[in-house]
Amino acid sequence: MKTYTRPLDLKNGRVDMSHGSGGRAMAQLIDELFARHFANDILAEQGDGAVLPPAHGRLVMATDSHVVSPLFFAGGDIGCLAVHGTINDVAMMGARPLYLSAGFILEEGFPLADLQRIVASMAAAAREAGVPIVTGDTKVVEAGKGDGVFITTTGVGVMPEGIDLKASNIKVGDKILVSGMLGDHGVAIMSQRENLTFETTIQSDTAALHTLVVAMLESVPTLHALRDPTRGGLAAVLNEFAHASGHGMVIREAAIPVRSEVAAACELLGLDPLYVANEGKLVAYCAAADADALLAAMRSHPLGRDAAIIGEVIADEHAFVQMETAFGGRRMVDWLNGEQLPRIC
Amino acid sequence: MKTYTRPLDLKNGRVDMSHGSGGRAMAQLIDELFARHFANDILAEQGDGAVLPPAHGRLVMATDSHVVSPLFFAGGDIGCLAVHGTINDVAMMGARPLYLSAGFILEEGFPLADLQRIVASMAAAAREAGVPIVTGDTKVVEAGKGDGVFITTTGVGVMPEGIDLKASNIKVGDKILVSGMLGDHGVAIMSQRENLTFETTIQSDTAALHTLVVAMLESVPTLHALRDPTRGGLAAVLNEFAHASGHGMVIREAAIPVRSEVAAACELLGLDPLYVANEGKLVAYCAAADADALLAAMRSHPLGRDAAIIGEVIADEHAFVQMETAFGGRRMVDWLNGEQLPRIC
């Protein structure tokens, strides 16, 4: 039987190159760390891949590589973020997330205690969301060729009958909604990097949004489109949808929910909340007639309590995104041109 | 519409942090590089994920992170390797690979010309295999926090009715087969790293094995188990299967196909071909009565021309792997204990 001379030193041990070699050390890392935390029957088969029951309906597949720095931040860590981020990508298509895979790229010398903390956090996030991690892979790179740990998660889900969310559904007159306060994740990361402390700690909003999406689709099955405003923030989502639908968008600054601490931190850090990443929020488009019902459905869900209607889709051959400012003027909300927040997710 | 001031400089340009920011530069990289090469209707939808037709039967999911160094080597590169490796993981379960996702972690400063070469190679490998890349993600890390490019691919496939390949199928008396010459990939990488030249260049065997698996299953539907001997080589596969099945294994050194150049290079590099990675080979277990039919099916396929029966499964409560040497003795073939070949895939 597969036995190891001594158990993995999860207190003081470190990742070394042998943990990626395909030999005994790698088998031990998988047995004593990954398999123990991710514990489920499918993973326990330890094949080259996972065998899963048939899924009825169209499939959805989404992937995200996570390189957030720092690895641990107020409100979360790279582990739960990697689970939530990919679940959300599947959910934004209107699909029900079923399974996750996880590929780890570890840097030689990374403390096993930190790795365990991250793996435990992933496992807890997957369990809470009801989406198991069914297969994975581990590679190790030399010190100085990585940055602690990078995690790529891929999600597979099924699309319920009749659901069809996409940019081309968006019509002139559609209302634009957001599910809550914007900017929390990006500001939590940036204030940690800059070593800023505020009166209250700003926490990342990292969360799995699939049950919110279910509630929204139950209320308004004809929802037009969904997207989570991660990298590039709300501005990126609005511009992508404007580009893809060929319509203009107008939002109202006063209607956009932003915590006062986040607004203050953004001023201090020179950030615009419209461009700051969120990890537990979504943007939704629906027909004007459905907007109140959708808003009510969102507000009845714990992750949509602060949902708001922030604007609408207008006819505009240039497909511009504009914002009515608090002072009554209008300004363009362009794509982010340079780099605002590197390694935010 | 989404327009860019100037096209991506694919000749002299380099990856910068803005290519991972979620803004315009990232959109341009996706449009002008990834989407152009991976061109398919599903990817063209540019959602948060890919919507795929219903798949009938059990699903299979496999993932692999690729960190091979160097990125370009005799016979391949990280791009085609990332496609082949994950297709093979799906195929080793007996499943038909259908779709791939690709997550890129790019290092700031990486030449766009090299990235294009890698992406074009991935696209060609996916096209040749008939397994499209339907969704992806791009992240950028600062210079010195990565190593050019890491690629995590995830594959989804469907399992044909009645197929059930797994270690616990393996029975005493089963024959052990390999599909061809062992050690090519690992030796190609190592000789490139060590700057060794041999009379003939040893090429990586990187290849997608799913059509070979189809031919094998058509011939012997009751095949017991399959695995590709990548990291850790043949020795790792034999030990994993011995451990999981609870049986011993005996292989005959003289029966194991190894090119003479590879054997010579292994001597020079201090490597044992049993532990060297392959990227286009598989190990198969079947009932003794089926072995000749299986061997014939393998040899009729271009990727199984040099297939051989190399040993059998024996009763052994210790589940040891042993080898009858060319000199008539027997030696233990243990797991690799330390690190033999870092970053081989």
Side-chain angles (χ1 to χ4, degrees):
Chain A
M1 296 296 97
K2 199 156 51 174
T3 51
Y4 309 109
T5 319
R6 60 184 74 84
L8 213 55
D9 180 359
L10 291 169
K11 203 165 157 203
N12 299 309
R14 290 178 179 271
V15 170
D16 65 48
M17 295 306 291
S18 72
H19 289 121
S21 67
R24 195 187 295 269
M26 191 175 86
Q28 184 174 19
L29 184 73
I30 292 170
D31 281 355
E32 296 183 9
L33 190 56
F34 295 108
R36 194 166 71 75
H37 283 280
F38 296 156
N40 61 66
D41 293 346
I42 300 167
L43 191 68
E45 287 286 328
Q46 296 205 8
D48 271 341
V51 182
L52 310 166
H56 302 287
R58 291 165 297 163
L59 295 176
V60 166
M61 190 176 184
T63 197
D64 254 327
S65 293
H66 294 84
V67 299
V68 66
S69 172
L71 296 170
F72 301 96
F73 46 82
D77 55 68
I78 191 172
C80 63
L81 188 70
V83 168
H84 295 151
T86 295
I87 287 178
N88 291 347
D89 280 350
V90 173
M92 292 307 119
M93 313 299 295
R96 188 162 65 90
L98 293 175
Y99 308 107
L100 290 174
S101 68
F104 293 84
I105 298 174
L106 306 175
E107 186 187 8
E108 181 188 16
F110 188 65
L112 288 176
D114 285 352
L115 183 59
Q116 181 172 42
R117 210 175 133 198
I118 289 165
V119 169
S121 166
M122 286 186 83
R127 216 165 23 240
E128 198 185 330
V131 185
I133 296 163
V134 294
T135 192
D137 182 51
T138 306
K139 293 290 181 341
V140 179
V141 295
E142 302 86 346
K145 301 291 187 183
D147 197 14
V149 54
F150 301 141
I151 306 175
T152 301
T153 42
T154 304
V156 166
V158 280
M159 192 79 109
E161 204 57 49
I163 299 296
D164 182 30
L165 303 181
K166 59 184 185 212
S168 56
N169 290 338
I170 295 173
K171 290 180 183 58
V172 172
D174 274 9
K175 292 293 180 186
I176 308 170
L177 293 87
V178 297
S179 64
M181 301 288 181
L182 295 186
D184 296 6
H185 176 74
V187 167
I189 299 285
M190 292 309 287
S191 50
Q192 192 141 339
R193 274 195 216 153
E194 305 285 329
N195 237 327
L196 295 178
T197 49
F198 301 97
E199 274 191 39
T200 53
T201 306
I202 297 166
Q203 305 248 331
S204 166
D205 58 346
T206 183
L209 296 169
H210 56 317
T211 61
L212 173 62
V213 172
V214 168
M216 291 166 70
L217 285 169
E218 270 174 15
S219 164
V220 180
T222 56
L223 197 64
H224 289 169
L226 288 178
R227 187 149 302 180
D228 51 341
T230 57
R231 276 183 294 176
L234 177 64
V237 170
L238 297 175
N239 275 284
E240 277 167 36
F241 276 147
H243 164 63
S245 69
H247 303 310
M249 317 257 159
V250 181
I251 56 172
R252 279 175 303 282
E253 187 168 22
I256 300 171
V258 178
R259 285 177 216 286
S260 55
E261 312 93 278
V262 169
C266 279
E267 290 233 347
L268 202 65
L269 292 161
L271 300 173
D272 180 337
L274 292 185
Y275 294 90
V276 174
N278 309 277
E279 291 291 343
K281 298 293 154 28
L282 58 78
V283 182
Y285 288 75
C286 71
D290 293 327
D292 289 338
L294 187 63
L295 185 66
M298 291 166 81
R299 287 189 172 166
S300 319
H301 190 283
L303 293 172
R305 271 193 312 262
D306 300 312
I309 299 174
I310 62 162
E312 48 267 323
V313 178
I314 59 167
D316 175 359
E317 61 179 20
H318 302 293
F320 285 148
V321 178
Q322 300 177 70
M323 182 165 75
E324 289 178 359
T325 66
F327 308 105
R330 272 197 183 188
R331 73 167 171 91
M332 296 291 297
V333 177
D334 199 2
W335 290 81
L336 183 62
N337 261 308
E339 147 215 355
Q340 194 185 29
L341 296 171
R343 299 187 59 187
I344 209 73
C345 61
Chain B
M1 294 296 97
K2 196 155 52 173
T3 50
Y4 308 111
T5 319
R6 61 184 75 84
L8 213 54
D9 180 359
L10 291 170
K11 203 166 159 203
N12 300 307
R14 290 179 178 272
V15 169
D16 65 48
M17 295 305 292
S18 72
H19 289 120
S21 68
R24 194 187 295 268
M26 190 174 88
Q28 184 175 18
L29 184 72
I30 293 170
D31 281 356
E32 296 183 8
L33 190 57
F34 295 108
R36 194 166 72 75
H37 283 281
F38 296 156
N40 62 65
D41 294 345
I42 299 167
L43 191 68
E45 286 285 329
Q46 296 205 7
D48 271 342
V51 182
L52 310 165
H56 302 287
R58 291 165 296 161
L59 295 176
V60 166
M61 189 176 183
T63 197
D64 254 328
S65 293
H66 294 85
V67 300
V68 66
S69 171
L71 296 170
F72 300 96
F73 46 83
D77 55 66
I78 191 173
C80 63
L81 188 71
V83 168
H84 296 151
T86 295
I87 286 177
N88 290 347
D89 281 349
V90 173
M92 292 309 118
M93 313 300 295
R96 188 161 65 90
L98 294 175
Y99 308 106
L100 291 173
S101 68
F104 293 84
I105 298 174
L106 307 175
E107 186 188 8
E108 180 188 17
F110 188 65
L112 289 177
D114 286 351
L115 183 59
Q116 181 172 41
R117 209 173 133 199
I118 289 165
V119 169
S121 165
M122 286 186 84
R127 213 163 25 238
E128 197 185 331
V131 185
I133 296 164
V134 294
T135 191
D137 183 50
T138 307
K139 292 289 181 340
V140 180
V141 296
E142 302 86 347
K145 301 292 186 183
D147 197 15
V149 54
F150 301 141
I151 306 176
T152 302
T153 42
T154 304
V156 167
V158 280
M159 193 77 111
E161 205 56 49
I163 299 295
D164 181 29
L165 303 180
K166 59 185 184 210
S168 56
N169 291 338
I170 295 172
K171 290 181 184 55
V172 172
D174 274 9
K175 293 291 180 189
I176 308 171
L177 294 87
V178 298
S179 63
M181 301 288 183
L182 295 185
D184 297 5
H185 177 75
V187 167
I189 299 285
M190 291 310 286
S191 51
Q192 192 143 341
R193 274 195 217 153
E194 305 285 329
N195 236 327
L196 295 179
T197 49
F198 301 98
E199 273 190 40
T200 53
T201 305
I202 297 166
Q203 303 249 332
S204 166
D205 59 346
T206 182
L209 296 169
H210 57 316
T211 61
L212 173 61
V213 172
V214 169
M216 292 167 69
L217 285 168
E218 270 172 13
S219 164
V220 180
T222 56
L223 196 65
H224 289 169
L226 288 178
R227 187 150 304 181
D228 52 340
T230 57
R231 275 182 295 177
L234 177 64
V237 170
L238 297 175
N239 275 284
E240 277 168 35
F241 277 147
H243 164 64
S245 69
H247 303 310
M249 317 255 159
V250 180
I251 55 172
R252 279 175 304 282
E253 188 169 22
I256 300 170
V258 178
R259 286 177 215 287
S260 56
E261 311 94 277
V262 168
C266 279
E267 288 234 351
L268 202 65
L269 291 161
L271 301 174
D272 180 337
L274 293 184
Y275 295 90
V276 174
N278 309 277
E279 292 290 343
K281 298 292 154 28
L282 57 78
V283 183
Y285 288 75
C286 70
D290 294 327
D292 289 336
L294 187 62
L295 184 65
M298 289 165 81
R299 287 189 172 166
S300 320
H301 190 282
L303 292 173
R305 270 193 313 261
D306 301 311
I309 299 175
I310 61 162
E312 48 267 323
V313 178
I314 60 167
D316 177 359
E317 60 179 20
H318 301 293
F320 285 149
V321 177
Q322 300 177 69
M323 183 165 74
E324 289 177 359
T325 66
F327 308 104
R330 271 198 184 189
R331 71 166 170 92
M332 296 290 297
V333 178
D334 200 2
W335 289 82
L336 183 63
N337 261 308
E339 146 215 355
Q340 193 186 28
L341 296 172
R343 299 187 58 186
I344 208 73
C345 60

